[in-house]
Amino acid sequence: MGIFDQDPARSVSRFECKYYVQPPTVDAMRRFMAPFMKPDEFAARCEGYRYTVCSLYLDSPDLRLYRNTAEGNKNRFKLRMRRYNDGPGDPVYLEIKRRIDSVIYKQRCRVDEGLARALLEGRVPCSPDESLDEVGREFKRLAEGISALPTIRVKYIREAYESLAGDR
């Protein structure tokens, strides 16, 4: 199992705060938060506490999911396929990320690259869908409901931290 494996049925809810920090400020920010934060469990196992995240976002032909975000709708969802380290053979995670008011809920399941590719090409059997778990079937249902297509690929290096107080 890789460092990003987790119970595929696990649903995570949290409040998210994301910031863009100007490069000259990064070292000072790390020093400031050191007494309060630690690298998250995945970053702690990586060189320099950083890892690659590669996401393929799916959306409807009319970009409904993007427009829900751009218009600031409080209740919305995103569909993405995510990989860490983006190497051949690395697992793919199907993720449903929902926002309900100010809380973020994320569900995901791990699939192999072949199944992810088959989903994108519409080749996964409809019923029974034995190759997908409950989250995977919900991902497929939502994707089919909006005629989702691969829309944008985002790749970046993540440096993630969590509270030392145990409050995710």
Side-chain angles (χ1 to χ4, degrees), residues 1 8 24-25 42 49 57 82 94 107-108 131 151 156 160 167:
M1 295 189 114
T25 310
F42 305 118
Y49 305 122
Y57 287 83
R82 176 166 276 183
L94 306 179
Q107 294 176 290
R108 72 184 200 167
S131 54
T151 304
Y156 60 93
D167 180 3

Side-chain angles (χ1 to χ4, degrees), residues 68-87:
N68 283 335
T69 299
E71 293 167 4
N73 294 335
K74 293 288 184 193
N75 300 314
R76 60 185 187 252
F77 70 92
K78 294 179 186 178
L79 297 173
R80 68 182 173 208
M81 293 183 170
R82 176 166 276 183
R83 288 186 120 142
Y84 300 93
N85 299 322
D86 201 25

Side-chain angles (χ1 to χ4, degrees), residues 11 14 22-23 32 36 39-41 46 57 65 72 78 91-92 98 106 121 124 142 146 148 155 157 159 161 164:
S11 179
R14 63 181 178 232
Q22 295 290 335
F32 175 81
F36 314 103
D40 79 5
E41 64 179 298
C46 298
Y57 287 83
L65 304 183
K78 294 179 186 178
V92 177
R98 289 184 170 92
K106 184 169 80 171
E121 296 170 357
V124 175
L142 290 169
I146 62 167
K155 186 174 183 178
I157 304 296
E159 183 174 334
Y161 293 87
L164 284 171

Side-chain angles (χ1 to χ4, degrees), residues 81 83 89-92 94 111-125 131-132:
M81 293 183 170
R83 288 186 120 142
D90 286 334
V92 177
L94 306 179
V111 298
D112 64 35
E113 186 175 355
L115 181 55
R117 192 173 307 277
L119 262 174
L120 289 173
E121 296 170 357
R123 294 186 288 113
V124 175
S131 54
L132 293 172

Side-chain angles (χ1 to χ4, degrees), residues 38 50 64 67 79 86 88 91 96 98-99 102-103 117 130-131 146 163-164 168:
K38 66 180 179 179
R50 297 177 187 96
R64 180 184 317 167
R67 284 187 292 108
L79 297 173
D86 201 25
I96 305 166
R98 289 184 170 92
R99 178 186 172 128
S102 60
V103 181
R117 192 173 307 277
E130 298 171 6
S131 54
I146 62 167
S163 171
L164 284 171
R168 294 199 77 208

